[in-house]
Amino acid sequence: MALRAEDPSQLSKSRLKSDLVAHNVALPPSKSRKEVYVELHLKHIERKTAADFSSDEEEQARHAKEEHPEVPDPGALTDDDLQAALLKRGVKVGPVVASTRALYEKKLLKLLQPDGHGQLNGADSGAGYSDSEGEERGGEGDDAESDCEEEKQTVQRSDQAPQQRRQLDMAVVDERTRTDQSLYYTPKASAHKTKTKLHQEPVEPTFKDMFAATESTPTGIYATQRRPIKGAAGRPVRYAYPDTPSSPSTLQRREVARRLVPVHIQLVVFLVVTCLLYFIYVCVEDNSWSPFLASLDNRNQGPDSEEGLLLQADTPALSGQE
Amino acid sequence: MSTTSQKHRDFVGEPMGDKPVTALSGIGDSLGKKLEDQGFDKAFVVLGQFLLLKKDTEMFTEWLKDASGANSRQAGSCAQCLKEWCDAFL
């Protein structure tokens, strides 16, 4: 609301009173004359008319300076100083850039307030937060996804303890908080995660080198152990074992398989031999059995002439064939 | 799996590529529009902000609430979604 550049003496006493109250100025006793009010009005509100925003910041700065002479307004700090101030209070901060600066400034303010006067300033900041949250909630109303219940919850929570809610060291327990995880996010290198991975880990010597260097990073930014993207960004997929090892049973099967082929050849040979023998049998049968029987009788009579008789048996068979 | 939505599972299941910011779990059309107005038009830009905050879900939740007016549930869902994506792919 823009302040009118009017002479305060022209304003009514009640108006002056309300103006003073609005600017957090201590009211004089109610029986005072209007001039007292005018004086106070001029003294305190004069500053406002000069430049609204800058005077707000000045008041804030003065507030902050009164509380903490060591750390001035976070808005006035450089990026590095802001980072250092937060690190001093044990907050892990990333780089302070355009998009993160506002967030870190707010965080530092929050951390400064409990150190200083405490409740009073906390109430102020709480009022400030509830105002901004009111705006945010107004924006939420347009959201299709937001539920009425959620809004009520945030209202209740903000009304109860804005400080507690805003303390980021405390875990924010929603009704939808996952119970199987811890509420505090601590990015430690979790070795067990890599063991439970289902896929084979490719052997990457550069990967390990990366981890060896993490302790000596100057900015304190370290990478947690993660499974690398396989086959992406020019990273070839290399496995520790080039071929799958064959079990003894498969080796045996292979040996047996090798023998299977000769078995066929063996069968063929057997059949050929059988055929030959049958052929010979048929040939023998064609000739009369009489010379064969005769040779057998001779054989029974005298074993000496055995060889000669055999020869005789062979030659008639052959001559018979011709 | 019981507390994650289908949108969460869809996002976390594959590299985000050029997905719009509305593909993030917890970010609907109106929140997406607000983020796009600030320059966060793709999911990977929001991922960039998440990484700048050193993958701290609480800080990211706070930032998202300030930047887009999301409520705690939406911001928390988005932060969880990004965290799991990073666990899987980063």
Side-chain angles (χ1 to χ4, degrees):
Chain A
M1 169 173 95
L3 289 165
R4 287 170 283 171
E6 259 182 48
D7 201 1
S9 54
Q10 290 180 1
L11 297 169
S12 67
K13 192 172 166 189
S14 57
R15 174 66 204 275
L16 289 168
K17 233 163 118 176
S18 61
D19 274 349
L20 287 173
V21 168
H23 292 111
N24 279 335
V25 180
L27 286 176
S30 55
K31 297 255 176 175
S32 317
R33 285 161 57 211
K34 188 180 169 184
E35 287 169 88
V36 183
Y37 284 103
V38 168
E39 270 177 32
L40 282 169
H41 193 276
L42 277 169
K43 199 161 72 170
H44 294 279
I45 299 165
E46 196 68 55
R47 290 195 299 232
K48 289 279 180 186
T49 53
D52 279 346
F53 293 112
S54 62
S55 60
D56 276 340
E57 283 176 2
E58 281 173 19
E59 280 186 16
Q60 256 188 1
R62 245 174 271 117
H63 256 279
K65 276 178 190 163
E66 282 166 14
E67 307 157 18
H68 321 281
E70 31 177 86
V71 181
D73 175 31
L77 287 171
T78 64
D79 290 345
D80 292 336
D81 290 341
L82 181 62
Q83 199 173 22
L86 281 167
L87 282 169
K88 205 165 59 173
R89 281 158 178 79
V91 179
K92 53 172 169 34
V93 284
V96 182
V97 289
S99 55
T100 60
R101 195 193 159 86
L103 195 67
Y104 286 135
E105 275 180 22
K106 236 184 352 168
K107 187 143 195 196
L108 188 60
L109 272 170
K110 264 181 282 170
L111 288 170
L112 291 173
Q113 275 140 18
D115 300 342
H117 293 282
Q119 292 306 314
L120 227 152
N121 296 321
D124 279 346
S125 65
Y129 276 123
S130 62
D131 281 339
S132 63
E133 278 172 27
E135 288 171 11
E136 286 175 1
R137 269 182 267 118
E140 276 173 17
D142 300 331
D143 226 346
E145 286 189 33
S146 63
D147 299 328
C148 297
E149 289 177 359
E150 301 295 329
E151 286 176 2
K152 281 177 198 165
Q153 264 190 1
T154 52
V155 169
Q156 283 167 14
R157 251 187 279 143
S158 62
D159 287 341
Q160 282 167 17
Q163 256 188 332
Q164 283 173 16
R165 183 164 173 258
R166 284 295 176 178
Q167 260 184 5
L168 292 174
D169 293 335
M170 276 181 62
V172 178
V173 181
D174 286 344
E175 57 188 22
R176 317 227 180 178
T177 314
R178 293 183 72 177
T179 51
D180 57 348
Q181 273 186 355
S182 88
L183 295 163
Y184 301 96
Y185 177 63
T186 46
K188 274 185 272 187
S190 46
H192 81 277
K193 273 192 180 175
T194 53
K195 286 177 193 165
T196 56
K197 295 292 179 203
L198 295 169
H199 305 285
Q200 254 181 347
E201 287 266 358
V203 176
E204 293 271 17
T206 53
F207 203 53
K208 285 173 190 165
D209 288 339
M210 229 167 70
F211 288 152
T214 48
E215 292 174 9
S216 56
T217 49
T219 53
I221 299 171
Y222 52 90
T224 54
Q225 201 169 6
R226 298 281 178 242
R227 183 167 58 87
I229 302 170
K230 287 199 275 279
R235 263 178 275 193
V237 179
R238 288 203 314 266
Y239 291 99
Y241 306 103
D243 288 319
T244 53
S246 14
S247 58
S249 57
T250 52
L251 286 165
Q252 278 174 10
R253 239 179 277 141
R254 280 182 201 154
E255 279 182 38
V256 168
R258 254 182 259 121
R259 283 195 202 124
L260 275 170
V261 173
V263 167
H264 286 296
I265 293 169
Q266 284 173 19
L267 274 171
V268 165
V269 165
F270 175 72
L271 284 168
V272 163
V273 165
T274 313
C275 288
L276 266 171
L277 286 170
Y278 183 72
F279 200 65
I280 291 164
Y281 174 78
V282 162
C283 295
V284 166
E285 246 194 321
D286 275 342
N287 307 325
S288 56
W289 280 101
S290 49
F292 206 67
L293 285 166
S295 67
L296 276 169
D297 286 338
N298 290 336
R299 210 191 291 174
N300 288 333
Q301 284 171 12
D304 300 329
S305 56
E306 199 180 344
E307 288 179 4
L309 278 167
L310 276 170
L311 281 166
Q312 278 180 6
D314 280 336
T315 48
L318 286 166
S319 63
Q321 274 181 3
E322 287 173 8
Chain B
M1 281 292 258
S2 57
T3 55
T4 56
S5 65
Q6 185 59 44
K7 203 171 171 193
H8 175 107
R9 290 195 285 274
D10 287 343
F11 190 83
V12 173
E14 57 177 0
M16 65 173 75
D18 261 347
K19 282 186 190 169
V21 74
T22 48
L24 283 162
S25 174
I27 306 295
D29 289 334
S30 62
L31 283 180
K33 180 77 176 55
K34 287 182 205 169
L35 283 171
E36 280 169 22
D37 290 341
Q38 295 186 37
F40 296 90
D41 58 340
K42 293 283 183 186
F44 62 74
V45 189
V46 180
L47 172 72
Q49 184 66 20
F50 181 68
L51 297 174
L52 271 178
L53 296 168
K54 302 193 77 177
K55 298 195 267 182
D56 184 355
T57 46
E58 294 191 19
M59 289 286 280
F60 178 78
T61 308
E62 211 184 311
W63 170 80
L64 190 58
K65 285 199 268 196
D66 291 341
S68 67
N71 63 27
S72 301
R73 184 189 63 83
Q74 293 164 326
S77 174
C78 182
Q80 187 62 30
C81 176
L82 281 170
K83 178 172 174 289
E84 285 186 22
W85 189 93
C86 286
D87 288 349
F89 296 103
L90 199 57

XYZ file of all heavy atoms in Angstrom, chain A residues 75-131:
414
model
N 22.258 -11.465 2.644
C 22.107 -10.900 1.311
C 23.310 -10.101 0.875
O 23.538 -9.908 -0.315
N 24.096 -9.644 1.866
C 25.251 -8.805 1.541
C 26.524 -9.630 1.371
O 27.543 -9.109 0.942
C 25.462 -7.764 2.630
N 26.453 -10.906 1.717
C 27.647 -11.741 1.627
C 27.930 -12.112 0.181
O 27.022 -12.202 -0.635
C 27.438 -13.035 2.425
C 27.467 -12.937 3.943
C 27.019 -14.253 4.543
C 28.856 -12.597 4.433
N 29.201 -12.344 -0.066
C 29.546 -12.871 -1.385
C 29.200 -14.359 -1.415
O 28.906 -14.957 -0.378
C 31.043 -12.696 -1.663
O 31.766 -13.498 -0.713
C 31.471 -11.258 -1.543
N 29.258 -14.938 -2.596
C 28.924 -16.357 -2.737
C 29.835 -17.210 -1.860
O 29.374 -18.110 -1.164
C 29.074 -16.786 -4.200
C 28.009 -16.174 -5.076
O 27.015 -15.659 -4.532
O 28.168 -16.199 -6.301
N 31.107 -16.913 -1.895
C 32.061 -17.721 -1.123
C 31.833 -17.560 0.373
O 31.893 -18.530 1.131
C 33.499 -17.316 -1.468
C 33.856 -17.709 -2.888
O 33.227 -18.648 -3.418
O 34.763 -17.084 -3.469
N 31.571 -16.314 0.773
C 31.349 -16.070 2.206
C 30.090 -16.776 2.683
O 30.048 -17.325 3.796
C 31.227 -14.565 2.472
C 32.563 -13.862 2.295
O 33.589 -14.574 2.338
O 32.579 -12.634 2.112
N 29.074 -16.727 1.864
C 27.821 -17.406 2.215
C 28.055 -18.897 2.373
O 27.590 -19.522 3.335
C 26.778 -17.125 1.121
C 25.387 -17.716 1.293
C 24.713 -17.173 2.519
C 24.543 -17.436 0.079
N 28.807 -19.431 1.438
C 29.114 -20.856 1.500
C 29.905 -21.184 2.762
O 29.613 -22.163 3.454
C 29.923 -21.242 0.257
C 29.906 -22.709 -0.035
C 30.558 -23.036 -1.356
O 31.354 -22.259 -1.869
N 30.236 -24.176 -1.915
N 30.894 -20.330 3.056
C 31.726 -20.572 4.241
C 30.896 -20.479 5.512
O 31.058 -21.298 6.427
C 32.864 -19.555 4.276
N 29.997 -19.494 5.563
C 29.162 -19.320 6.758
C 28.273 -20.542 6.986
O 28.081 -20.992 8.111
C 28.309 -18.067 6.609
N 27.758 -21.075 5.909
C 26.893 -22.259 6.039
C 27.704 -23.485 6.428
O 27.270 -24.287 7.248
C 26.140 -22.504 4.737
C 24.930 -21.606 4.505
C 24.460 -21.701 3.074
C 23.795 -21.974 5.441
N 28.895 -23.608 5.853
C 29.735 -24.758 6.174
C 30.153 -24.718 7.640
O 30.245 -25.755 8.300
C 30.977 -24.780 5.277
C 30.755 -25.299 3.864
C 31.966 -25.019 2.993
C 30.466 -26.787 3.858
N 30.352 -23.496 8.134
C 30.739 -23.339 9.540
C 29.648 -23.872 10.465
O 29.918 -24.381 11.545
C 30.982 -21.849 9.817
C 31.924 -21.584 10.978
C 32.419 -20.146 11.001
C 31.280 -19.156 11.095
N 31.743 -17.767 11.290
N 28.406 -23.753 10.008
C 27.292 -24.244 10.813
C 26.933 -25.686 10.491
O 25.895 -26.176 10.908
C 26.063 -23.352 10.577
C 26.177 -22.065 11.360
C 25.306 -20.960 10.774
N 25.408 -19.755 11.561
C 26.413 -18.894 11.507
N 27.406 -19.104 10.673
N 26.432 -17.827 12.267
N 27.799 -26.334 9.751
C 27.614 -27.761 9.515
C 26.604 -28.114 8.439
O 26.092 -29.222 8.397
N 26.309 -27.170 7.557
C 25.362 -27.456 6.478
C 26.163 -27.818 5.235
O 27.084 -27.093 4.868
C 24.500 -26.212 6.176
C 23.550 -26.508 5.042
C 23.756 -25.776 7.408
N 25.827 -28.910 4.621
C 26.546 -29.257 3.400
C 25.934 -28.464 2.247
O 24.758 -28.590 1.949
C 26.498 -30.765 3.129
C 25.141 -31.372 3.124
C 25.238 -32.811 2.649
C 23.967 -33.582 2.854
N 22.707 -32.929 2.742
N 26.745 -27.633 1.660
C 26.259 -26.748 0.608
C 26.926 -27.085 -0.714
O 28.091 -27.433 -0.751
C 26.529 -25.264 0.946
C 25.562 -24.782 1.975
C 27.942 -25.061 1.384
N 26.151 -26.978 -1.746
C 26.715 -27.104 -3.080
C 27.183 -25.735 -3.539
O 27.298 -24.806 -2.745
N 27.443 -25.604 -4.824
C 27.892 -24.302 -5.320
C 26.796 -23.249 -5.158
O 25.618 -23.541 -5.311
C 28.159 -24.576 -6.803
C 27.410 -25.797 -7.115
C 27.353 -26.614 -5.880
N 27.202 -22.059 -4.829
C 26.242 -20.966 -4.672
C 26.173 -20.231 -6.009
O 27.049 -19.455 -6.357
C 26.670 -20.001 -3.541
C 25.631 -18.905 -3.380
C 26.823 -20.760 -2.238
N 25.129 -20.555 -6.740
C 24.925 -19.906 -8.036
C 23.578 -19.187 -7.999
O 22.912 -19.146 -6.982
C 24.948 -20.937 -9.185
C 26.344 -21.464 -9.399
C 24.017 -22.078 -8.895
N 23.216 -18.643 -9.135
C 22.018 -17.802 -9.184
C 20.800 -18.520 -8.619
O 20.054 -17.969 -7.824
C 21.765 -17.375 -10.623
N 20.614 -19.776 -9.048
C 19.385 -20.452 -8.640
C 19.426 -20.945 -7.202
O 18.404 -21.115 -6.572
C 19.104 -21.615 -9.584
O 20.214 -22.471 -9.625
N 20.616 -21.164 -6.662
C 20.700 -21.715 -5.312
C 20.960 -20.647 -4.264
O 20.825 -20.896 -3.068
C 21.822 -22.759 -5.219
O 23.063 -22.160 -5.552
C 21.560 -23.918 -6.153
N 21.300 -19.456 -4.713
C 21.709 -18.422 -3.759
C 20.568 -18.051 -2.817
O 20.757 -17.966 -1.594
C 22.185 -17.185 -4.507
C 22.942 -16.287 -3.564
C 23.189 -14.897 -4.090
N 23.455 -14.019 -3.001
C 24.658 -13.818 -2.445
N 25.708 -14.457 -2.921
N 24.798 -13.005 -1.419
N 19.409 -17.837 -3.388
C 18.270 -17.426 -2.565
C 17.982 -18.470 -1.488
O 17.717 -18.131 -0.326
C 17.048 -17.239 -3.454
N 18.059 -19.708 -1.888
C 17.785 -20.800 -0.956
C 18.788 -20.812 0.188
O 18.421 -20.945 1.364
C 17.855 -22.117 -1.729
C 17.280 -23.343 -1.058
C 15.792 -23.201 -0.922
C 17.610 -24.568 -1.871
N 20.055 -20.656 -0.153
C 21.083 -20.694 0.880
C 21.030 -19.475 1.791
O 21.330 -19.565 2.988
C 22.467 -20.831 0.248
C 22.730 -22.212 -0.294
C 23.298 -22.374 -1.555
C 22.417 -23.351 0.424
C 23.545 -23.629 -2.062
C 22.653 -24.604 -0.079
C 23.221 -24.739 -1.324
O 23.460 -25.992 -1.827
N 20.649 -18.328 1.218
C 20.507 -17.122 2.055
C 19.419 -17.335 3.103
O 19.593 -17.026 4.283
C 20.138 -15.923 1.175
C 21.317 -15.240 0.540
C 20.889 -14.066 -0.326
O 19.779 -13.536 -0.106
O 21.659 -13.697 -1.212
N 18.309 -17.881 2.637
C 17.197 -18.151 3.561
C 17.629 -19.122 4.650
O 17.286 -18.959 5.818
C 16.025 -18.753 2.774
C 14.772 -17.980 2.948
C 13.547 -18.516 2.311
C 13.656 -19.654 1.403
N 12.364 -20.225 1.082
N 18.385 -20.114 4.230
C 18.837 -21.126 5.174
C 19.744 -20.495 6.228
O 19.635 -20.795 7.425
C 19.586 -22.219 4.417
C 19.953 -23.384 5.279
C 19.838 -24.675 4.530
C 19.851 -25.807 5.520
N 20.113 -27.060 4.866
N 20.616 -19.611 5.789
C 21.516 -18.962 6.733
C 20.744 -18.079 7.701
O 21.032 -18.055 8.902
C 22.567 -18.145 5.971
C 23.696 -17.571 6.831
C 24.460 -18.684 7.513
C 24.638 -16.739 5.992
N 19.743 -17.405 7.181
C 18.897 -16.566 8.037
C 18.226 -17.407 9.118
O 18.185 -17.034 10.282
C 17.828 -15.861 7.196
C 18.218 -14.515 6.591
C 17.165 -14.073 5.598
C 18.385 -13.469 7.662
N 17.701 -18.537 8.682
C 17.038 -19.434 9.626
C 18.005 -19.910 10.698
O 17.645 -20.020 11.861
C 16.498 -20.649 8.873
C 15.051 -20.519 8.482
C 14.605 -21.756 7.774
C 15.091 -21.776 6.348
N 14.883 -23.052 5.678
N 19.233 -20.190 10.263
C 20.210 -20.671 11.228
C 20.648 -19.561 12.173
O 20.970 -19.803 13.333
C 21.429 -21.225 10.491
C 21.197 -22.555 9.789
C 22.370 -22.885 8.905
C 20.982 -23.661 10.800
N 20.657 -18.333 11.666
C 21.082 -17.212 12.498
C 20.050 -16.886 13.558
O 20.395 -16.528 14.676
C 21.318 -15.979 11.617
C 22.504 -16.019 10.676
C 22.496 -14.816 9.766
C 23.801 -16.085 11.440
N 18.788 -17.034 13.206
C 17.739 -16.594 14.132
C 17.719 -17.361 15.447
O 17.626 -16.762 16.492
C 16.379 -16.652 13.452
C 16.099 -15.398 12.658
C 15.422 -15.708 11.352
O 14.873 -16.793 11.202
N 15.459 -14.777 10.435
N 17.777 -18.677 15.441
C 17.796 -19.381 16.731
C 19.025 -19.047 17.549
O 18.983 -19.103 18.770
C 17.802 -20.855 16.333
C 17.242 -20.885 14.966
C 17.675 -19.601 14.329
N 20.120 -18.640 16.877
C 21.320 -18.281 17.628
C 21.118 -16.995 18.395
O 21.622 -16.822 19.496
C 22.513 -18.084 16.670
C 22.792 -19.355 15.913
O 22.327 -20.411 16.361
O 23.451 -19.293 14.869
N 20.336 -16.070 17.805
C 20.217 -14.718 18.345
C 19.136 -14.597 19.400
O 19.113 -15.331 20.393
N 18.187 -13.691 19.132
C 17.181 -13.412 20.151
C 16.192 -14.538 20.292
O 15.515 -14.618 21.297
C 16.450 -12.119 19.813
C 17.357 -10.928 19.918
N 17.705 -10.361 21.115
C 18.012 -10.237 18.976
C 18.526 -9.341 20.902
N 18.736 -9.247 19.610
N 16.072 -15.318 19.283
C 15.224 -16.511 19.433
C 13.771 -16.239 19.136
O 13.411 -15.934 18.019
N 12.931 -16.321 20.157
C 11.486 -16.378 19.947
C 10.937 -15.181 19.200
O 10.139 -15.329 18.305
C 10.764 -16.498 21.294
C 10.992 -17.819 21.988
C 10.641 -18.991 21.103
O 9.601 -19.012 20.458
N 11.513 -19.956 21.040
N 11.387 -14.012 19.589
C 10.815 -12.807 19.006
C 11.031 -12.793 17.499
O 10.115 -12.643 16.717
C 11.471 -11.570 19.645
C 10.467 -10.497 20.076
C 11.037 -9.709 21.233
C 10.139 -9.570 18.927
N 12.295 -12.949 17.174
C 12.607 -12.928 15.747
C 12.027 -14.145 15.062
O 11.640 -14.094 13.922
C 14.124 -12.895 15.545
C 14.685 -11.609 16.117
O 14.063 -10.571 15.977
N 15.818 -11.684 16.772
N 11.987 -15.233 15.854
C 11.397 -16.443 15.276
C 9.942 -16.218 14.921
O 9.476 -16.630 13.877
N 9.266 -15.511 15.822
C 7.852 -15.230 15.551
C 7.720 -14.361 14.324
O 6.848 -14.563 13.491
C 7.221 -14.563 16.759
N 8.636 -13.380 14.237
C 8.599 -12.494 13.064
C 8.787 -13.299 11.795
O 8.028 -13.177 10.849
C 9.722 -11.445 13.155
C 9.306 -10.308 14.067
O 8.104 -10.244 14.368
O 10.172 -9.532 14.460
N 9.852 -14.102 11.822
C 10.120 -14.877 10.611
C 9.001 -15.858 10.356
O 8.644 -16.127 9.232
C 11.451 -15.622 10.754
O 11.334 -16.576 11.788
N 8.428 -16.357 11.475
C 7.300 -17.276 11.299
C 6.145 -16.575 10.624
O 5.523 -17.101 9.721
N 5.912 -15.330 11.091
C 4.828 -14.571 10.456
C 5.141 -14.356 8.989
O 4.285 -14.465 8.130
C 4.649 -13.239 11.178
N 6.441 -14.066 8.763
C 6.834 -13.852 7.367
C 6.581 -15.098 6.534
O 6.074 -15.041 5.436
N 6.960 -16.249 7.141
C 6.789 -17.496 6.378
C 5.335 -17.800 6.138
O 4.952 -18.234 5.073
C 7.434 -18.659 7.150
C 8.904 -18.756 6.896
C 9.826 -18.706 7.932
C 9.375 -18.899 5.607
C 11.165 -18.794 7.677
C 10.720 -18.987 5.360
C 11.611 -18.946 6.397
O 12.942 -19.046 6.147
N 4.519 -17.570 7.198
C 3.105 -17.913 7.007
C 2.495 -17.018 5.950
O 1.623 -17.435 5.218
C 2.351 -17.803 8.329
O 2.398 -16.472 8.791
N 3.003 -15.780 5.858
C 2.488 -14.905 4.805
C 2.818 -15.484 3.453
O 1.970 -15.593 2.585
C 3.126 -13.507 4.918
C 2.457 -12.698 6.019
O 1.318 -13.040 6.379
O 3.069 -11.753 6.499
